[in-house]
């Protein structure tokens, strides 16, 4: 299905920024019906290779590309992306870069309309796409109102509808809850499709499906089938395997004192079909690391935005300890108390260079800027964030908030697009400042490794609280078992 021979690529330079050669004589063969997982840390070239295969790069980016790429026996060199719609489909790492319409069913219809399919066939395929991804209830919603995971399901629904021969999925499963991942993966594998998954953290469920693995190393790909022992060693070297023992400080709850407390909080979105969040009780302690898990669209990000003052509750209170008692907080005080790291870094990064982004509102000295750039492995002070990878932009978000003195850091799906090493490093640096950390995730391994408590959310409510002694409850919940409210 796909043959890549001696591929090399370098992005065009930018004033003050020269890109190194990204690939060097990279070779890959993917057979029809094969599932190939390609692993790599941020900036290793996963997204670039995905867009080369779909003929988006270098056509729309520029750069020097050499080597041969054949898709189903046909050279890609002179192909236009729109001509490849029936052959290869992709879901971007950042769904907001790809969604272009204002209604979910229209989004699914768009590629089929582009190919001139008749109305009846399009309608049938829209139904099939919605059913395959379990988002029939979102048919008439504006994609802008969906959660990150729901946006990914919408783009997957488009692939189900068009059903191209080759599926290119760039970190697509990272923000899907485990139950949705299992269900959608089973439907993808029900027919013989060729799938390439670009990932930093492969979910365990993939191991059940005869997957082949490769990893980026020194500009080329190393295949697990060549040497499983070397492959595991490279996984460790690239920071893609979790070792909680390296971060013992994250398991220390420094104080058993409340930091924030919610009482009878409610919030409703004012859009058609949107849900209501209702929380009777919710507590965060000082120096505690807590995670929130739950199915896509269950209200996790909404809760984070309420806690930092981005959304104003319809009723109820958010209280904080003040002079040995709990007092209601205003939106301004919530802004001062908390730092909120968005699920999508592009909602939060807006200045021309890394230095300006780090200096905005604080004006730190040069030594501090240099130190933070080193701590968060950023490419340099004068580099434009727009030219950085998705993962590097997420590390920049973390670096900006690291400079602020916050009592609580709320991290929304920050592990998506980051290596395990990068995520663990970010959480640890926040916690070592004496701050509380609340992270929202679908990764049960990270939740288990770094949380002292886990809140499970469903349909705008907290249905249970789990401590480190009862993580089996989390696993049972995501296997599809019902959990009664605690």
């Amino acid at each position: 299905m796909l043959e890549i021979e001696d591929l090399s690529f370098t992005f065009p330079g930018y004033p003050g920024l020269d890109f190194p050669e990204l690939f060097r004589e990279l070779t890959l063969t993917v057979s029809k019906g094969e599932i190939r997982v390609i692993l790599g840390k941020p900036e290793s070239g996963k997204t670039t290779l995905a867009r080369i295969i779909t003929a988006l790069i270098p056509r729309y980016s520029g750069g020097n590309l050499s080597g041969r790429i054949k898709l189903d026996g046909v050279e890609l060199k002179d192909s236009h992306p729109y001509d490849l719609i029936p052959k290869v489909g992709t879901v971007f790492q950042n769904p907001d870069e790809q969604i272009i319409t204002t209604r979910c069913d229209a989004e699914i219809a768009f590629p089929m309309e582009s190919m001139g399919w008749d109305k009846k066939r399009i309608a049938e395929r829209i139904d099939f796409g919605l059913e395959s991804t379990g988002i029939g209830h979102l048919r008439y919603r504006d994609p802008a109102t969906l959660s990150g995971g729901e946006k990914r399901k919408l783009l997957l629904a488009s692939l189900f509808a068009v059903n191209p021969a080759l599926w290119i999925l760039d970190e697509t499963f990272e923000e899907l809850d485990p139950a949705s991942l299992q269900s959608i993966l089973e439907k993808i594998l029900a027919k013989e499709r060729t799938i390439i998954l670009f990932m930093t953290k492969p979910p365990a469920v993939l191991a059940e499906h005869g997957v082949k693995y490769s990893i980026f190393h020194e500009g080329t790909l190393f295949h697990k089938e060549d040497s499983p022992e070397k492959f595991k060693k490279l996984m460790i070297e690239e920071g893609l395997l979790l070792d909680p023992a390296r971060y013992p400080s994250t398991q220390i709850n420094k104080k058993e004192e409340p930091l924030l407390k919610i009482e009878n909080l409610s919030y409703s979105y004012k859009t058609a079909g949107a849900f209501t969040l209702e929380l009777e009780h919710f507590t965060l302690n000082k120096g505690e690391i807590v995670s929130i898990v739950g199915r896509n669209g269950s209200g996790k990000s909404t809760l984070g935005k309420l806690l930092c003052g981005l959304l104003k509750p319809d009723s109820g209170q958010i209280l904080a300890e003040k002079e040995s008692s709990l007092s209601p907080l205003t939106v301004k005080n919530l802004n001062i108390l908390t730092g909120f790291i968005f699920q999508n870094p592009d909602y939060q990064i807006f200045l021309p260079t890394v230095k300006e982004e780090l200096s905005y509102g604080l004006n730190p000295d040069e030594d501090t800027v240099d130190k933070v750039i080193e701590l968060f492995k950023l490419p340099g002070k004068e580099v434009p964030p727009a030219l950085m990878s998705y993962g590097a932009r997420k590390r920049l978000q973390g670096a900006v908030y690291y400079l602020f003195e916050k009592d609580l850091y709320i991290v929304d799906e920050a592990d998506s697009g980051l290596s395990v090493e990068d995520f663990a490093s970010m959480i640890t640096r926040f916690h070592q400042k004496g701050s509380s950390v609340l992270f929202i995730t679908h990764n049960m391994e990270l939740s288990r490794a770094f949380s002292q408590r886990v809140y499970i959310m469903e349909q705008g409510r907290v249905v249970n609280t789990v401590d480190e002694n009862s993580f089996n409850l989390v696993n049972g919940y995501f296997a599809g078992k019902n959990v009664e409210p605690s």
Side-chain angles (χ1 to χ4, degrees):
M1 177 60 71
L2 179 70
E3 298 172 88
I4 300 176
E5 294 181 12
D6 298 328
L7 181 72
S8 297
F9 179 72
T10 306
F11 278 107
Y14 185 87
L17 177 63
D18 289 321
F19 288 100
E21 186 178 47
L22 190 55
F23 305 131
R24 187 182 66 259
E25 298 180 354
L26 184 148
T27 298
L28 174 68
T29 301
V30 179
S31 303
K32 290 185 178 180
E34 180 179 320
I35 308 168
R36 171 70 62 172
V37 173
I38 298 180
L39 301 168
K41 61 186 179 182
E43 293 89 64
S44 60
K46 300 188 299 297
T47 294
T48 301
L49 182 57
R51 296 188 183 187
I52 288 173
I53 296 169
T54 51
L56 296 169
I57 289 179
R59 180 174 296 276
Y60 299 117
S61 68
N64 296 316
L65 177 69
S66 63
R68 296 178 60 214
I69 306 173
K70 283 187 177 181
L71 179 62
D72 204 14
V74 178
E75 277 275 2
L76 279 187
K77 185 177 180 181
D78 299 318
S79 298
H80 292 271
Y82 49 77
D83 291 329
L84 299 178
I85 294 174
K87 294 183 179 180
V88 57
T90 184
V91 175
F92 286 3
Q93 182 174 19
N94 181 355
D96 289 319
E97 293 180 356
Q98 195 170 6
I99 293 171
I100 57 172
T101 71
T102 56
R103 222 171 75 171
C104 289
D105 54 354
E107 187 68 35
I108 299 170
F110 184 79
M112 295 182 284
E113 291 173 338
S114 301
M115 292 186 289
W117 291 11
D118 66 76
K119 186 175 180 180
K120 183 174 183 292
R121 185 183 180 192
I122 290 174
E124 290 171 349
R125 298 306 296 178
I126 289 172
D127 290 343
F128 180 74
L130 292 168
E131 178 187 349
S132 298
T133 52
I135 59 169
H137 59 294
L138 303 177
R139 176 187 288 265
Y140 303 117
R141 283 271 295 275
D142 182 345
T145 68
L146 304 182
S147 71
E150 288 171 332
K151 290 175 181 177
R152 282 166 168 75
K153 290 180 182 179
L154 174 60
L155 293 173
L156 283 167
S158 290
L159 287 194
F160 274 108
V162 175
N163 195 27
L166 174 63
W167 292 33
I168 306 289
L169 306 180
D170 187 5
E171 303 281 14
T172 304
F173 291 151
E174 287 230 335
E175 293 181 20
L176 297 190
D177 63 77
S180 295
L181 169 58
Q182 179 76 45
S183 173
I184 291 172
L185 193 59
E186 287 175 358
K187 290 183 174 70
I188 292 174
L189 299 175
K191 291 188 177 181
E192 187 174 289
R193 295 183 174 97
T194 309
I195 306 165
I196 302 177
L197 300 156
F198 292 93
M199 295 182 149
T200 50
K201 300 177 289 297
V205 67
L206 279 174
E208 305 168 11
H209 298 287
V211 174
K212 293 185 177 181
Y213 291 92
S214 302
I215 188 170
F216 276 108
H217 179 63
E218 296 181 349
T220 189
L221 286 172
F222 182 83
H223 308 301
K224 184 178 180 180
E225 54 261 37
D226 294 339
S227 172
E229 294 79 13
K230 183 176 178 181
F231 181 84
K232 185 174 182 180
K233 182 181 178 183
L234 290 176
M235 287 278 287
I236 295 170
E237 288 177 1
E238 299 293 332
L240 303 181
L241 286 182
L242 176 63
D243 181 9
R246 292 186 58 188
Y247 306 96
S249 64
T250 59
Q251 294 305 313
I252 300 171
N253 184 1
K254 297 182 180 178
K255 297 179 182 178
E256 292 291 340
E257 303 172 28
L259 174 68
L260 283 180
K261 185 176 181 182
I262 284 175
E263 290 185 350
N264 300 315
L265 194 75
S266 71
Y267 177 80
S268 295
Y269 286 98
K270 305 304 184 285
T271 54
F275 77 104
T276 297
L277 184 141
E278 293 182 346
L279 295 178
E280 291 185 16
H281 303 290
F282 185 92
T283 304
L284 288 171
N285 294 322
K286 293 181 178 179
E288 181 180 37
I289 300 180
V290 171
S291 60
I292 301 179
V293 300
R295 294 183 174 93
N296 299 122
S298 60
K300 304 181 298 297
S301 296
T302 300
L303 174 56
K305 291 174 183 177
L306 285 164
L307 288 172
C308 72
L310 279 172
L311 297 177
K312 186 177 180 181
D314 298 331
S315 62
Q317 293 180 320
I318 300 175
L319 309 170
E321 186 182 41
K322 189 176 181 181
E323 296 176 357
S324 301
S325 64
L326 288 168
S327 305
L329 287 176
T330 63
V331 167
K332 180 179 179 181
N333 286 335
L334 284 170
N335 291 161
I336 294 170
L337 184 77
T338 62
F340 184 79
I341 297 178
F342 274 79
Q343 190 169 2
N344 184 342
D346 297 331
Y347 292 169
Q348 216 159 11
I349 295 171
F350 56 93
L351 290 170
T353 66
V354 167
K355 180 181 178 181
E356 289 172 279
E357 197 70 51
L358 292 171
S359 302
Y360 184 73
L362 286 176
N363 198 27
D365 59 50
E366 290 288 327
D367 288 344
T368 301
V369 170
D370 291 339
K371 177 186 175 184
V372 171
I373 285 174
E374 182 180 354
L375 285 176
F376 286 83
K377 295 187 286 188
L378 300 174
K381 288 187 283 193
E382 303 305 322
V383 176
L387 298 182
M388 290 160 46
S389 73
Y390 188 77
R393 299 199 301 274
K394 285 204 162 190
R395 295 200 304 274
L396 177 56
Q397 282 179 288
V400 169
Y401 274 103
Y402 180 79
L403 289 170
F404 287 94
E405 296 299 325
K406 299 291 184 180
D407 294 314
L408 170 64
Y409 291 94
I410 303 170
V411 184
D412 190 2
E413 299 279 11
D415 56 290
S416 173
L418 290 182
S419 67
V420 169
E421 182 76 24
D422 288 341
F423 171 77
S425 176
M426 182 187 295
I427 294 296
T428 302
R429 295 194 191 287
F430 291 156
H431 192 244
Q432 287 174 340
K433 293 171 65 124
S435 304
S436 303
V437 180
L438 172 68
F439 70 94
I440 297 165
T441 186
H442 291 297
N443 190 310
M444 295 300 99
E445 188 180 9
L446 295 180
S447 182
R448 182 193 294 266
F450 292 103
S451 308
Q452 283 111 34
R453 287 188 300 132
V454 182
Y455 283 107
I456 302 175
M457 291 194 69
E458 180 66 34
Q459 296 181 348
R461 292 163 178 79
V462 171
V463 296
N464 224 311
T465 308
V466 182
D467 61 24
E468 63 270 20
N469 298 316
S470 54
F471 266 92
N472 287 337
L473 180 62
V474 180
N475 297 330
Y477 175 74
F478 282 114
K481 299 177 183 177
N482 291 324
V483 177
E484 294 298 321
S486 58

